[in-house]
Amino acid sequence: MKRELTKEDKELAEAGYEHLARQKTAGQQEGDSKLDGVDIHEHKLAFTELEGELDTSFDPKDPGLSTGLSTDEAKARLSRYGPNILTPPKKKSALRKYWDCLMTMFNILLIIAGILEYILLGVDYKDNFPNTYLGGILIGVAFLNAFIEFYQLQKSEAILASFLAMIPPSSRVVRDGTIMTIPAAELVKGDIVLVRSGDKTPADLIVFAASDLKVDNSSLTGESEPQERFARPDGVEARPVEAENLLFNSTLIVNGEGWGVVVRTGDHTLIGQIAALTGNETGKQSPLAVEIGRFVMMVSGIAILFAIIFFVVGITTVYKGKGEQTVTFAVSILVAFVPEGLPSVVTLLLSIAAKRMAAQNVLVKDLQGVETLGMYTSSLLTLLATDKTGTLTRNQMTVTNLWSGLRMFSAFQSNNDSDDTEAFSIGTPGMREMVDIAALNSHVKFDRTDLPFEQRKILGDATETGLIRFAGKHIQDYDGYQKQHPKVFEIPFNSSNKWALVIVEKTHQQGVLTAYIKGAPERVLAKCSTYLHDGKEVPITDDFKAEYDQAYDYMASRGHRVIACAQKLLPSDVYNSSYEFNKTDNKYPSTEYCFCGLVSLEDPPKHGVREAIGTLRLAGIKVMMVTGDHPKTAEAIARKINLILGETKETLSKKTGRPVEEIYDDEVDAIVIHGDDIDGLQGWQWDQIFAKNEIVFARTSPQHKLEIVKRAQALGHIVGVTGDGVNDSPALKKADLGIAMNISGSDVSKEAANMILLDDNFASTVKGVAEGRQIFVNLKRSIQYTISHSTPEVIPQLLYVVVPIPLPLSAILILVIDLGFELFVALSFAWDKPETKDGLMRMAPRKPVNERSITSLKKRALRRTKTLRRDPETDEIIRPSRFSQYMMRVKAPFTREFWEDALEPSENETLVDGKLLSYAYLEAGVIEMLGALVAYFVVFFKNGFTPGDLRRAQTALNNHPPITYFTKSSPDFVNSRGRVLTGSEQVEALAKAQSIVYLSIFIIQCFNVFAVKAKFRFPFGKSIVGNYYNFAGILGGACLGIFIIYTPPLHVVFGGSFHLSPLYWLIPAAFGVLLLVWASIRVLLMRKSIEQSRVKDIKGLMMFPTMRTMSMRSKH
């Protein structure tokens, strides 16, 4: 039973995905051609052919006697082929970077305004000489802004460059018949290299000698099990990734040692090919860059528009034909509107935040990345796609349960086990045999044997390491036990057998040899005819198989890896001490084994992962797992770590007894998708998947991960990806925020990511999210604070033209406001702390992706799709010309669809939104404007000018002949009370009035520092006033303001008067208090909407350490 979608529904669902299909086809064609160009074929060659092709010499029988290349030949090849390094992406020159920083809209406006002032100087030097300072300051500010941003970018890149290393620093190589250590960058084709357990492979090698060599390819191919590598004298006919004689650059040697000859270096290695795949994916511009860019364009447009309007009004009223003065006036309007210090503030805020995040073990590769972590969580609905192995789990196997003799045992005390699970005891029948198999059927080695067993580092794969750790606890003398029971014969584990066999000297009643086998349960059970029960061998029955299936399912469903163990007591009449075992002729015991039991090993989640995922989900972030593991294992792990809490169709089917096909999609909230199904998914199916709150993708390839990211982004999600392998790098690059691991992460994944977790701890992501959300809030506060002074700067200019009144604020004083005290205080917001303990981490996303937003997005996409022209033969889209695109943009505002889209209600909150602009321009801005004008008129009144007098004095400019007041050479002015005011008194009155306007804006802005923070609480609490840097910024701004106003030598440039009484400061202080009162009323008015935007509690969320962690703690 399925709920059928109509044709219209499917058409709508498919909308928005078409561009992905086109990209996929093009990408595949391009990717295939690149792979064909650097294909590896040497693994197919026999040793003699390999020596001839590479012109080198090696000895497969005794590798240590190989001569290798001569030093001179190696130098010649190095100059011919180039160093063994991956080519980093092309970087811009320092000059180009500075140019990009300079060519932002604000800086361009400032430079143009400054140049205009100097043009006026050339037109009339005498009258326009004061503008010399203004023009120079405007241009200097633009270059200073660009330098601050450039300096911070260079500093950030320098830190990263010192941290990232793309290949291993050194390698052991044979040159001139001698083993030496050289920088890995100097390796060339034909070099003979020795690799040992724990090494990173320095280049692509063909193995010609190996001893128990195993390599961890998980970071390259996604294979979780270490792969054994062999010497193949005749070569192998297989794909390079499947060749048993190939070691790939940057893969980790986990066991044994091997000798290889270098066949590929640098970009020609397999890792270089995948790096090329990553290079195909272009990084997206961060949401912060987009929003600030939009804000800059909007403010710049408004500034230019008002400057033009004021120029026209000014030249027709106050300045009547005086073009030079009108231009200066228009420039002052431009300067008033443009927050010149904003780019510097944003860059410095992010730089400070980057350093703080580094202290939280989160390294930010670029400044925009700092905010993205908070942006995609707090501003946009986030989809965090995380890898499992090494990211959520430790990649450390630990024995958890044993099943033997139809009884289940726990390796340690655990509350997770069923009631009939018994505690492990070595004396229990069957347990000694299980421990012996774990200890004696093993290939692990130790870094040192002179230390106690518990202190040794085990060199081997994670599964065998877990078994040995377990066995070592129950064997008193591990080294002595190994010597007491030496190996006679062994067949190592491989991917085709899926079992490992060892025969050791261990005496029993029937003989002196014992065979132990371990491996995949179904393979081992097939070799058994009996099972061990209470120390006796009992024939295997159907009842036993049913019990076995139940135990196997119990272990696997908990996300554990399950290993089966069996033994065979070899009778001496057949297998005596002189028997020649041989695996090629099957001269070894392969049947009639006695099944000893099952062992489950857990790859436990990293400490804090469960709480971290719970916290992220409570913060409104959708977390999903994208892994290469088996679906059942992935789901079991997901249920342990808060990633899946609800039912999937399969679990609901098992609970209710209904067939899976009869369960509707909206009945379940969780889904597990197999990688094999991804390629066939249609648009409406992707929509259904991403509509779930709990998602797991299993058995995925690198291309699958990339496809998942693209599909999520097509629905409007801002996607974060965490990963540590090369196979994660394409998705990391495409994601809005790529987060790589430092310790376990591959070089390519670090290169592709925006952010790196220095301690490999997934829980650090939560710290980053909390920090990022606070950065967003701090940025918003800083912008809100910075643009609040635009209204008290612009409205007085308007009154100067319209009323008119003497100019309340000169252009140069406006610049001092924007780049003086404002800069000090705006920067101090970087150290603001959250208003409440968990307020930000419980707020709903600011840009929710829900059914409504997706439908709206798809309708627009469908409308665009239907207007596209297609080739009638190939059905390919014909792209319109640039002129056509331009004309479409011009016509758009005159269409119905344009206004429907523009006026469509949205739940989004952007960095600069209507609420912020309303507060800055209409609320705080108006209060500041009123405070400044009241102080302005009071100061003029105390100096003999009523508002009527000011208007009469200013309109005298329109007389015939015009009379200019408020200059030293002005005629006496008789006020309305009959008092005669000389030119010097007029100048002094104007200087005082302009000074108080300047100081009024500063004083009220000091109160605004705390008013802009009031969202959850009133602007008086400790969290509001607890940032001491705010007070330091205010003190710095006060010192600057008083210095400018009360220092006579500076009056030549800035104006001002040291005769201004501090008593006048009380007027703006009163308006500052009024602003705080209004901020408090605003908190009350907004309280309900804020409460509604909080994320509701999630039922079943487990905000405590995993039981595994608790059990181990209780034991110790």
Side-chain angles (χ1 to χ4, degrees), residues 507-521:
T507 305
H508 49 87
Q509 291 180 356
Q510 302 173 33
V512 294
L513 299 178
T514 303
Y516 291 132
I517 189 170
K518 69 176 184 184

Side-chain angles (χ1 to χ4, degrees), residues 129-400:
F129 180 74
N131 296 339
T132 307
Y133 303 112
L134 180 59
I137 290 173
L138 286 169
I139 294 172
V141 164
F143 278 85
L144 179 63
N145 273 341
F147 177 76
I148 292 172
E149 186 173 0
F150 168 75
Y151 173 75
Q152 292 301 332
L153 289 173
Q154 289 289 89
K155 195 173 178 184
S156 178
E157 287 181 8
I159 293 170
L160 183 71
S162 66
F163 170 72
L164 286 177
M166 299 195 75
I167 62 170
S170 63
S171 62
R172 291 179 290 272
V173 64
V174 177
R175 295 263 175 93
D176 297 318
T178 306
I179 296 180
M180 60 181 70
T181 300
I182 65 169
E186 295 179 10
L187 283 179
V188 295
K189 286 177 70 173
D191 262 328
I192 309 302
V193 174
L194 168 64
V195 289
R196 288 176 173 164
S197 181
D199 289 349
K200 246 188 179 179
T201 312
D204 284 359
L205 311 175
I206 297 291
V207 178
F208 64 84
S211 173
D212 296 335
L213 183 64
K214 285 191 178 182
V215 60
D216 180 4
N217 282 344
S218 59
S219 66
L220 188 66
T221 63
E223 296 167 301
S224 59
E225 283 290 331
Q227 304 298 304
E228 193 161 4
R229 288 292 176 259
F230 311 94
R232 294 298 189 212
D234 300 322
V236 291
E237 290 292 334
R239 293 169 56 226
V241 290
E242 296 169 349
E244 296 176 331
N245 59 345
L246 255 177
L247 293 177
F248 298 115
N249 185 11
S250 288
T251 53
L252 186 65
I253 308 299
V254 295
N255 193 58
E257 68 177 30
W259 295 80
V261 58
V262 177
V263 293
R264 288 287 186 275
T265 59
D267 290 332
H268 300 292
T269 60
L270 194 69
I271 196 174
Q273 296 171 18
I274 301 182
L277 173 66
T278 304
N280 289 340
E281 294 303 325
T282 55
K284 278 186 68 178
Q285 197 178 19
S286 80
L288 174 65
V290 172
E291 294 215 26
I292 287 184
R294 191 182 297 131
F295 169 67
V296 166
M297 293 303 294
M298 180 187 71
V299 170
S300 301
I302 293 172
I304 293 169
L305 179 66
F306 271 82
I308 293 170
I309 292 171
F310 275 60
F311 177 83
V312 172
V313 172
I315 205 164
T316 56
T317 55
V318 179
Y319 295 111
K320 283 194 176 175
K322 299 178 181 177
E324 302 92 342
Q325 293 181 25
T326 315
V327 168
T328 301
F329 170 66
V331 165
S332 68
I333 292 295
L334 190 73
V335 170
F337 261 109
V338 174
E340 293 85 359
L342 184 62
S344 301
V345 167
V346 170
T347 307
L348 287 171
L349 270 172
L350 294 179
S351 181
I352 292 165
K355 292 175 184 175
R356 279 219 311 271
M357 292 183 82
Q360 301 275 10
N361 291 317
V362 179
L363 179 76
V364 181
K365 286 179 62 175
D366 60 89
L367 294 183
Q368 304 297 336
V370 179
E371 188 273 338
T372 307
L373 189 57
M375 192 72 155
Y376 86 102
T377 54
S378 59
S379 306
L380 312 168
L381 182 63
T382 300
L383 199 80
L384 179 62
T386 175
D387 186 30
K388 183 183 79 70
T389 306
T391 303
L392 299 177
T393 61
R394 305 175 192 173
N395 202 19
Q396 299 172 359
M397 292 290 175
T398 308
V399 173
T400 53

